Each structure stands twice: as structure tokens, then as C-alpha cells.
Amino acid sequence: MNRSSNLPRIVIIGGGFAGINVAKSLKDAPVEIDLVDKRNYHLFQPLLYQVATGELDPANIAAPIRKILWKQKNVHVALGEVTAIDFDKKLVDFDGGELDYDYLVIASGAQQSYFGHDEFRAHAPGLKSIDDALEIRRRLFLAFEEAEWEADEEARRKKLTFVIVGGGPTGVELAGAVKEVASETLPREFRNIHSGMARVIIVDGGQRLVGPMPEDLGVRAQQVLEKMGVEIHLNVHVTDVTDEGVVIGDEKIPAENVFWAAGVQGQDLAKTLDTEVDRGSRIVVGPDLSIPNHPEVFVVGDAAHATDATTGKPVPGLAQGAIQTGRFVAEIIKAEIAGNAPKERPQFSYYDKGSMAMIGRGNAIAAIGKIHYGGILGWISWNVLHVMFLVGFRNRFKVMLDWLWNYIWKTRRSRLITGDPEVHIKQLYSEHQQPVIKPHRGKRDKTEDE
Amino acid sequence: MNRSSNLPRIVIIGGGFAGINVAKSLKDAPVEIDLVDKRNYHLFQPLLYQVATGELDPANIAAPIRKILWKQKNVHVALGEVTAIDFDKKLVDFDGGELDYDYLVIASGAQQSYFGHDEFRAHAPGLKSIDDALEIRRRLFLAFEEAEWEADEEARRKKLTFVIVGGGPTGVELAGAVKEVASETLPREFRNIHSGMARVIIVDGGQRLVGPMPEDLGVRAQQVLEKMGVEIHLNVHVTDVTDEGVVIGDEKIPAENVFWAAGVQGQDLAKTLDTEVDRGSRIVVGPDLSIPNHPEVFVVGDAAHATDATTGKPVPGLAQGAIQTGRFVAEIIKAEIAGNAPKERPQFSYYDKGSMAMIGRGNAIAAIGKIHYGGILGWISWNVLHVMFLVGFRNRFKVMLDWLWNYIWKTRRSRLITGDPEVHIKQLYSEHQQPVIKPHRGKRDKTEDE
């Protein structure tokens, strides 16, 4: 309220890496910014798999958007989901109200893609939000709890089979962490099962793991994971996912736990807009990251189908892509508002700072320029880099503590099974378990002993 | 499996303070213990209100039961809910199997009681589990987010009214923390609303606050809270809770946020057992904490209706009551198994170590024996005591760090609104908001400016 100024109005949709960087880069600009997000927190997505596997708490990797931007007086944060955009009237509708803009920046990110098989979703949660991560965490740790009391060997094996669909960086990190939970964290806590026997399987349609990274690192990741005991199926697609497990090619793998790390697509809203989207619902933008005929509408981060003006390659859907496109767009807006913009807008070029993926305890792969490496050195780089980029010193410090502690003691603190256990346990036991449930050790037969 | 020994079998139902203490006290006893809990974590309940108000992460105050007991080789942990107990056959059915016992210890704790008005539950979540706390946290922080964009003043006021039903220690601690969130944490982050204007109201049917604590401390708590701006209604009962708010006596208080801290009762299972329960579904036990006619069945902690053998007063439903009854029963079992039990069982007497309640920033009340005090000294005692009792050094250290940090910076880290925002936000906006939603600042009217 009381914002009746005539300053140019910027609406930013989304508070991820891209949206936050647009807002922050406009810190000193004479503008009024509205940032709308359907969540109240900014999420450090690269560490989400660690929440899913009990290594970190949600609040370690998520910070309230208001908290991040509270000092920046030209930003107004709104919680809500955008329901419509009118490019001609320059209006954004969200479920908390209506916003008009002079510039619009769409930074709404990506959602999990099931490649047209949305019916897989209920059986195979993805990994895009804190709620997703908590759902995977719940299933992961519940699987061992149930297996502990499952008398039937086949059913037990099914409970202890984890299929990760997708062998990109997220899939590889998730698989490594699940295997670590099974073989390092849990064995000493269970009495009936050998949790280390849990099968962890990666399925990927490509020829090798971590497709976006250099080939030698894909090979390296595979070697490390196989040595850890992770089974890897390449060149094969998942054709069905049910309560019973997954079907890959002609083979059926009985598994109660399927986690989806296979693909992403733009938000559904993108398809409703009066502009071109690609097959993955990403909005197609020009070299200046604006959409055709609307130079005042930019798309950044995972929401955009953008092309690197230098290499002609697509801008990768990584944190760096989001940060760089966000800052690029903010610079254009700043210059135009200040009236010192060049006649032609600049064209976006991606600067590849490298990429990394954690594989397991003390082992990560990294590609920085032409240098590819792995092992303990990769692991150290991975840790340093991820902590450096965590938003807010407080989180950094706590995350470092957690990692150190977990590394030394081979433990994981955040293993709570939450989300109405009364409902879930009952459902799971009744849906998946044998009709007659017997404890593993059976009832002691006193007469026999006497 | 492979547990075919002839050692006496102990089944413990519940992994709270009572159950964990029974198990730990039997550490070196030649027994086989099964501990069944419907949750996989032990919860430090006294700090639950801090999770509900964004001060601590769930994992700070909850530790996996398996983790706590993993070194104790005579314990077998099971996740599941007990569905039936057969005292004659000495069998416990839980949804993961069937367990036979020589001794049974029921330590199943308490659940929220709505005093026969279970229809209040949907409008007024209680505070007994991590999931409860996350639900309160979601409503608390969402209320401010929605109010920020609510144009109608009356509706906005309703969103920013928080009614806490119950003025016992939990109600007082929750109210103080909610008020602190509104006046210390959030003001600088919002632009349209003055979050400090939020109304926080305690309603209690008694004559004063913190009934179980000494009278002068109740008065003190009231003074401090009123100075903080908390409104206190005593001697009055909540007669209705709806979407619109609460009704106390003849007065209607419009409020979108009602939190229930009014009472507890035993688990539903208690009522199905073939033994006496009190009005609050607590199982009535004798002076040795066993049930009539079944000396091998004990009830401890909040599940028990127990009487202090020395004073004749009821054993209070506090952590100390649970810990002491748990240890007492374990000693009886140990002695009887060792064959050196006295002819008559001992009788339980409660040792009152005192009680405390946090009121607000730098202020808590404490009663230790005849010494009653408050203020900053109370606050220091409260912090020291609660950290000392937290399970596991790791948590202690992190909690101290969090408290210190939050105290200095007047912030709260764990303010995530989780639990499927897409569903919740839509519901909330559509249910509670004005039919036509307008942003607070309105749409700028360009023509007027030009």
C-alpha cells in the first residue's frame, strides 16, 4: 500500500535462482518490483536429494524469500500462483490479486516431466520441491521399517528394491545417497534385515550416465557406483510404473520404491500463453531472452528455451544458467530505464563454470573447463562449491557442520518419517504386505521349548 | 530373526520419554525387548511449540528411535500401531505382526483432547506430533502472507487473529512465541501490513494461567504476556470453533487461526482394553503401576492414571512423570527377573524436580521446590535445562546455536510453508477470501497519473 509512485513496475514470477537474481540485480534501480512465488521459500535445489535421503533438514537448503529480500525496499513479495498473463494489457493475475507491469520476467522454473505418463507420478515421486523430498524420504526410510517385519522373502526383497529412473546428475546423486543410507547408515540399527542388501538400480535411456557432463566422467561415475553395488541399466526405457515395480524393455523389476529423476518440463501456465513453447513447455525466447513481439517480457532460467548466442547450443538447465540469464535480463532493464541502453539489445552467452555431481561417500566428479577429475578431490570441490553458494551464512555453517558430522559418524540426522504416519503406515501395510502378516521371528512356541 | 532364546520377553508400546526410559533402564538385563511405536522417532515434546513457530527444525527435537537404541542389542524396534492386546494370552497385535510377552509396558502417551468436540479439530490443530507442529507452522506463516494481499480490512484483521485455546504451559509458550513472530521476526519483511498488529489471544477456562504451576507464577506470566500485547480471557470456555473463529461464552471472536492447547487424553486403544480407564482414557494403575489382576502389565507416562503413593496426588503428565514411572517399572522387572525382588512390590512416588515455562524473548517462569522466579534468570534456567535434556549431543549443540542466532538477530530460520502449497493456497484463498480478490495497493490507474 502507499505505493502510488510512477516508477516503472517490474513483475517477476518465481523466486528460484533466476528470479532472485533478477530482483537482486535491480537492487539500486528506481523501480517497483513484485515478486510472486507459489512457495514462500527460495530453494537450493542442487542439495534437495540430501533432504530426500535424511542428510539435511529442509530449512538448511530453503530460506524464506521475504527474508532474502527484506532489506531491498523496492521489492514486494507475494505468495500465490500465477493463473493468467495478459501480454497486451500487461497484467498478471495471481490467486492473491492482479499486478500490472512495465517489464515482466517469467522465472517460473521447471516441474518434473513424466513424458506423457502422469499416471506414473503416484508411484514414482519426483524431486523438485521440499514436499517431494519429504515424500521420498518417507518412502525410503519406511521401506526399511516395513522390511524389518516382513516374513515373506520375496515381499521383503521388493520392499528393499529402489529404482531411480534417470541417470543424470540428480539420479546419480540420489542413487549414491540411497545406497549409502542402506550400507553405511542403517545396518547397525536393524536386527532382522541386512539393510546393505538393498538393491539400488538406475535406469536411463541414454548410452551413459550424467549425459550433460563429459563422457569420461560418465564412465567414471558408473565405475564408482557399480563398485558401491548400484546396478545400472542403460539404453533402456521405463515403459511402465505400478505398485508392483517398473517395466524396462521386456523385463519386470519388482520394486516398492521408484523415484523419478528423469526429466523436467516448463510449468503448465506456459502452454496457455500466446507465445511459442517447445516440446518441454519451455517458452522460446530470442537472443535477448525476450519473447517475440513483446520486448518487455523476458523468460529466464529453466522456464526458457534459450540459445547461447556464441555457441548456438541450448542454455543448460542448471543453477548457473538461471543465475546468468537472470542477471543478464536485469542489466537490460536497468539500462533501458536509465535511458542509456544501446540501440540494439545485447545477446545472451552462457559462461560455463563447470559442473559437478556427488557420487558417494568421499567421491564426486567434476568438470571445470577442460579439466575433468573425481575422487576425494572432486568431493572436496563439490562440498566447497555447494556451501559457497548456499544462501545465507547461517545455513552454510550448519550444513558444513552436518556434513562433517555425518561423514565422521556415517549417520544421518534427519530421518523422520513424517506426513501422517497413521494414515500412511496403515495404507502401506494393507496395500503392499502379505494378506496375513506374521512377524519375522514368529511367535515363540512355548510348548516346544519346554 | 534368530531370536529363539528363552530370555523373558518384554514388549514396550511407545517410544516417548516413558518407553525409552524403560528400554534404557533394561540395558544390561537378560531380556528380549520389543519396542513398538507408530512413529519412527522419539520426540522431545517440550520444544514442539518451537517447531510450530519456526524457531527449530523438526530434526532438532526428534531422533530416530532406532538410532537412540542401536547399541542396545537386547532391543528390537518395530514401526507400527498396536491394534489389540490380549492380556490373557499375553499377546500384542500391531499392524506389522504379533508379539508375545512376559511383561508388557504400555507407554503409549496421550493425544490431544477436544473434550468431546472432535469437529473442532479441523479448525484448530493441536500440538502433539511433528505433523501437528508443521500444520500450525503452515497456518501461522501463511496467515501473514495472505493478510499482506488482503484488501478488506475486516478480513485482514481476521487473518491476523490467533486464538490459542488453553492457558497451560503449552498454550502460554505457544502464545508468547506467536506474538514474538508477529512483533519481532516479521515486521521488517512485510510492506502492506504491520505484522505487529496481529492479535494473539489466550482463552482458558481456569482462573489463572499455567494452572499446574504455583499461583504467583501464573500471575507473573499473565503480566508479562499482557505487556507483550497478548490478550488473555480467563474463566471462560470455548463453546464453538468454526472457519469464522471461536465463540467464548456469548462473545464471538473472528479469527482464521485457532490452535488447540487445551487438553490431552489417552490413546483410543485404552478404551478397548479389558481394564479400567478414567474419563480421559488414561489406564488406572495401582501403586506399583500395574493394572489390576495383571501384575505383568504396567502402564507408564501419560497413558497412566497413576497416584503418587506419598502425597496421594495424581502423577503429573510431564516429561519427568514419564521418565520416573518408566525407570520405576524397569527396576521392578529387573529385580523380578533376577529373582531378588522383595515380597511386595515398591510403590511409586513422584519426585518433583520443578517446572518451567517460556513466556517470551528473555523471559521464562520457573518453580523449583519453594523457589519461584522468572525474568532473565528463568529464561537462562529454561534454556540450560532444555538443552541438557535434549536427546543426543548433536541436537543439543545445534539447538543452542539456533537459539543464540535467533535471539541475537530476532529471526527464525525454519519458516517454510510446506505441505502441498498448490492445494493449500488455492483452498485458503478460495475459502476464506473475499469473492473478488483485489491486491491491496490496487491496480495503478495510468490515466489518472498522466
Side-chain angles (χ1 to χ4, degrees):
Chain A
M1 80 187 140
N2 307 325
R3 298 184 63 199
S4 47
S5 75
N6 273 322
L7 295 177
R9 301 198 157 190
I10 323 276
V11 171
I12 302 170
I13 302 174
F17 284 120
I20 289 281
N21 272 282
V22 175
K24 284 193 155 182
S25 302
L26 292 170
K27 185 158 63 89
D28 302 315
V31 294
E32 281 194 74
I33 302 169
D34 288 300
L35 191 155
V36 191
D37 197 306
K38 62 183 174 187
R39 304 208 173 85
N40 81 324
Y41 55 86
H42 167 76
L43 177 63
F44 192 81
Q45 277 205 16
L47 290 179
L48 199 53
Y49 83 95
Q50 297 206 350
V51 171
T53 52
E55 178 114 17
L56 295 177
D57 287 330
N60 286 143
I61 63 160
I65 295 172
R66 287 190 190 285
K67 176 84 171 57
I68 297 172
L69 296 171
W70 73 272
K71 280 190 182 163
Q72 193 173 329
K73 295 299 178 199
N74 63 357
V75 179
H76 197 169
V77 176
L79 178 74
E81 190 161 9
V82 170
T83 49
I85 302 172
D86 187 326
F87 290 139
D88 296 322
K89 293 190 183 153
K90 299 188 183 177
L91 282 178
V92 170
D93 273 331
F94 78 107
D95 45 16
E98 188 187 73
L99 303 164
D100 64 323
Y101 63 80
D102 297 305
Y103 286 99
L104 172 65
V105 183
I106 301 175
S108 49
Q111 58 176 326
Q112 208 77 59
S113 165
Y114 289 82
F115 306 119
H117 289 283
D118 282 349
E119 70 275 16
F120 293 176
R121 190 185 301 266
H123 309 292
L127 191 57
K128 295 301 288 176
S129 71
I130 291 283
D131 288 293
D132 288 344
L134 295 181
E135 178 60 18
I136 289 185
R137 185 178 81 178
R138 196 180 65 73
R139 292 183 186 215
L140 170 62
F141 291 105
L142 198 51
F144 292 95
E145 296 289 343
E146 289 182 9
E148 172 82 347
W149 287 90
E150 175 58 68
D152 180 78
E153 204 188 316
E154 200 180 314
R156 199 162 62 242
R157 201 167 297 170
K158 194 174 144 204
K159 281 183 195 305
L160 292 180
T161 302
F162 300 86
V163 177
I164 285 111
V165 184
T170 303
V172 161
E173 291 184 320
L174 189 58
V178 168
K179 190 69 194 175
E180 224 183 300
V181 164
S183 13
E184 305 276 347
T185 311
L186 296 183
R188 56 194 172 196
E189 294 180 15
F190 285 82
R191 307 284 189 250
N192 291 339
I193 55 168
H194 299 286
S195 63
M197 280 173 29
R199 286 179 75 189
V200 180
I201 302 165
I202 296 177
V203 182
D204 195 281
Q207 291 190 5
R208 60 181 181 83
L209 295 179
V210 289
M213 294 180 74
E215 187 167 347
D216 58 317
L217 291 181
V219 173
R220 186 166 191 151
Q222 180 160 1
Q223 284 165 351
V224 175
L225 285 168
E226 283 178 341
K227 210 175 146 198
M228 288 168 64
V230 174
E231 301 166 43
I232 296 165
H233 294 266
L234 296 172
N235 287 311
V236 67
H237 286 280
V238 169
T239 51
D240 201 10
V241 185
T242 66
D243 257 2
E244 296 302 309
V246 300
V247 179
I248 53 173
D250 296 331
E251 192 189 349
K252 219 184 131 177
I253 304 179
E256 280 202 8
N257 316 281
V258 185
F259 306 141
W260 196 266
V264 295
Q265 62 186 14
Q267 305 295 346
D268 295 338
L269 179 75
K271 285 180 282 189
T272 70
L273 301 177
D274 188 20
T275 189
E276 188 191 352
V277 297
D278 71 7
R279 242 174 8 128
S281 298
R282 272 172 292 253
I283 301 166
V284 178
V285 291
D288 64 345
L289 307 183
S290 74
I291 62 172
N293 306 321
H294 287 285
E296 77 284 4
V297 178
F298 295 98
V299 190
V300 292
D302 283 354
H305 175 113
T307 305
D308 184 329
T310 312
T311 64
K313 285 197 246 175
V315 177
L318 298 171
Q320 272 304 319
I323 293 168
Q324 292 178 26
T325 52
R327 289 182 183 161
F328 173 84
V329 159
E331 292 309 317
I332 293 181
I333 295 175
K334 262 198 288 194
E336 293 184 358
I337 284 171
N340 56 15
K343 260 194 183 163
E344 286 216 359
R345 281 183 173 175
Q347 304 198 331
F348 178 76
S349 289
Y350 179 66
Y351 176 64
D352 186 0
K353 290 195 175 176
S355 54
M356 294 184 172
M358 174 68 86
I359 305 176
R361 194 173 157 73
N363 211 321
I365 49 174
I368 295 169
K370 289 208 188 315
I371 309 168
H372 308 162
Y373 60 104
I376 188 82
L377 194 65
W379 184 78
I380 292 169
S381 323
W382 188 98
N383 280 280
V384 169
L385 190 99
H386 281 81
V387 161
M388 268 172 43
F389 276 99
L390 258 188
V391 173
F393 166 77
R394 186 82 189 86
N395 280 356
R396 267 177 226 173
F397 184 55
K398 288 191 70 166
V399 165
M400 275 194 296
L401 270 181
D402 269 333
W403 282 344
L404 193 66
W405 190 266
N406 293 344
Y407 186 75
I408 295 172
W409 298 107
K410 296 185 178 180
T411 189
R412 281 155 191 267
R413 259 174 14 90
S414 305
R415 280 184 272 149
L416 318 182
I417 299 175
T418 53
D420 203 343
E422 284 160 61
V423 175
H424 286 303
I425 292 175
K426 269 184 201 153
Q427 271 182 354
L428 279 159
Y429 275 117
S430 59
E431 276 173 24
H432 301 309
Q433 221 164 28
Q434 299 298 305
V436 178
I437 299 157
K438 287 278 171 199
H440 205 135
R441 74 172 198 206
K443 183 181 168 307
R444 183 174 58 159
D445 191 339
K446 286 208 175 183
T447 50
E448 202 176 292
D449 294 336
E450 280 154 13
Chain B
M1 75 187 143
N2 306 325
R3 299 184 64 199
S4 48
S5 76
N6 272 321
L7 295 177
R9 300 195 157 192
I10 323 275
V11 171
I12 302 170
I13 303 174
F17 285 120
I20 289 282
N21 273 282
V22 175
K24 285 194 157 181
S25 302
L26 292 170
K27 185 159 62 90
D28 301 315
V31 294
E32 282 194 72
I33 302 169
D34 289 300
L35 192 155
V36 191
D37 196 306
K38 63 184 175 187
R39 305 207 173 86
N40 80 325
Y41 55 86
H42 168 77
L43 178 62
F44 193 81
Q45 278 207 12
L47 291 179
L48 199 53
Y49 82 95
Q50 296 206 349
V51 171
T53 52
E55 178 114 16
L56 295 178
D57 288 331
N60 286 144
I61 63 158
I65 296 173
R66 288 190 189 284
K67 177 86 171 57
I68 297 173
L69 296 171
W70 72 272
K71 280 191 182 162
Q72 193 172 328
K73 295 299 178 198
N74 64 357
V75 180
H76 197 170
V77 176
L79 178 74
E81 191 162 8
V82 170
T83 49
I85 302 173
D86 187 326
F87 290 139
D88 295 323
K89 293 190 182 151
K90 299 188 180 176
L91 282 178
V92 171
D93 273 332
F94 78 105
D95 46 15
E98 188 188 73
L99 303 164
D100 64 324
Y101 63 80
D102 297 307
Y103 286 99
L104 171 65
V105 184
I106 301 175
S108 48
Q111 59 175 324
Q112 208 78 58
S113 165
Y114 289 82
F115 306 120
H117 288 282
D118 282 350
E119 71 274 16
F120 293 176
R121 191 185 300 266
H123 309 292
L127 190 57
K128 295 300 289 175
S129 70
I130 291 284
D131 288 294
D132 287 345
L134 295 181
E135 178 59 20
I136 289 186
R137 185 178 82 179
R138 194 180 65 74
R139 292 184 186 215
L140 170 62
F141 292 105
L142 198 51
F144 292 96
E145 295 289 343
E146 288 182 11
E148 172 83 348
W149 287 90
E150 174 58 66
D152 182 78
E153 202 187 319
E154 200 179 314
R156 198 162 64 242
R157 201 169 296 171
K158 194 175 145 205
K159 282 184 196 303
L160 291 182
T161 302
F162 300 85
V163 177
I164 285 111
V165 184
T170 303
V172 161
E173 291 184 320
L174 189 58
V178 169
K179 190 69 194 174
E180 224 184 299
V181 163
S183 11
E184 306 277 348
T185 311
L186 296 183
R188 57 194 171 195
E189 295 180 14
F190 285 83
R191 307 284 189 250
N192 292 339
I193 55 168
H194 298 286
S195 64
M197 279 174 30
R199 285 178 76 190
V200 179
I201 302 166
I202 296 177
V203 182
D204 193 280
Q207 293 191 4
R208 60 182 182 83
L209 295 178
V210 289
M213 293 180 76
E215 188 167 347
D216 59 317
L217 291 181
V219 173
R220 188 168 190 152
Q222 181 159 0
Q223 284 166 350
V224 175
L225 285 168
E226 282 178 342
K227 209 176 148 195
M228 286 167 65
V230 174
E231 300 166 44
I232 295 165
H233 294 267
L234 296 173
N235 287 310
V236 67
H237 287 279
V238 169
T239 51
D240 201 11
V241 185
T242 65
D243 257 3
E244 295 303 308
V246 299
V247 178
I248 54 173
D250 296 332
E251 192 189 348
K252 221 184 132 180
I253 304 178
E256 280 201 11
N257 315 281
V258 185
F259 305 141
W260 196 265
V264 295
Q265 62 186 16
Q267 305 294 347
D268 296 337
L269 178 75
K271 284 181 281 189
T272 70
L273 301 177
D274 187 21
T275 191
E276 188 191 351
V277 297
D278 71 7
R279 240 169 14 122
S281 299
R282 274 173 291 255
I283 301 168
V284 177
V285 291
D288 64 344
L289 307 184
S290 74
I291 63 171
N293 305 321
H294 286 286
E296 77 284 3
V297 178
F298 296 97
V299 190
V300 293
D302 283 354
H305 175 111
T307 306
D308 184 328
T310 311
T311 64
K313 284 198 250 175
V315 176
L318 299 171
Q320 272 303 320
I323 293 168
Q324 292 178 26
T325 53
R327 290 184 182 159
F328 173 84
V329 158
E331 292 309 317
I332 293 182
I333 295 174
K334 262 198 286 193
E336 292 184 357
I337 284 171
N340 57 15
K343 262 194 180 161
E344 286 215 359
R345 282 183 172 175
Q347 304 198 330
F348 179 75
S349 288
Y350 179 65
Y351 176 64
D352 186 359
K353 290 194 174 175
S355 53
M356 294 183 171
M358 173 69 86
I359 305 176
R361 195 172 157 75
N363 211 322
I365 49 173
I368 295 170
K370 290 209 185 315
I371 310 168
H372 307 162
Y373 60 105
I376 187 82
L377 193 65
W379 184 77
I380 293 170
S381 321
W382 188 97
N383 281 280
V384 169
L385 190 98
H386 282 81
V387 162
M388 267 173 43
F389 276 99
L390 259 188
V391 173
F393 165 77
R394 185 84 189 86
N395 281 356
R396 267 177 226 172
F397 184 56
K398 286 191 72 165
V399 166
M400 275 193 297
L401 269 180
D402 269 333
W403 283 343
L404 193 67
W405 191 265
N406 293 344
Y407 185 76
I408 296 171
W409 298 107
K410 296 187 179 181
T411 188
R412 283 156 189 265
R413 256 175 14 90
S414 305
R415 279 184 273 149
L416 317 181
I417 298 174
T418 52
D420 203 344
E422 284 161 59
V423 175
H424 287 302
I425 292 176
K426 270 184 199 154
Q427 270 183 353
L428 279 157
Y429 274 118
S430 59
E431 276 173 24
H432 302 307
Q433 222 163 27
Q434 300 298 306
V436 178
I437 299 157
K438 288 275 171 202
H440 204 135
R441 72 174 201 206
K443 183 180 168 311
R444 183 175 59 161
D445 190 341
K446 287 208 177 184
T447 51
E448 202 175 292
D449 294 336
E450 278 153 16

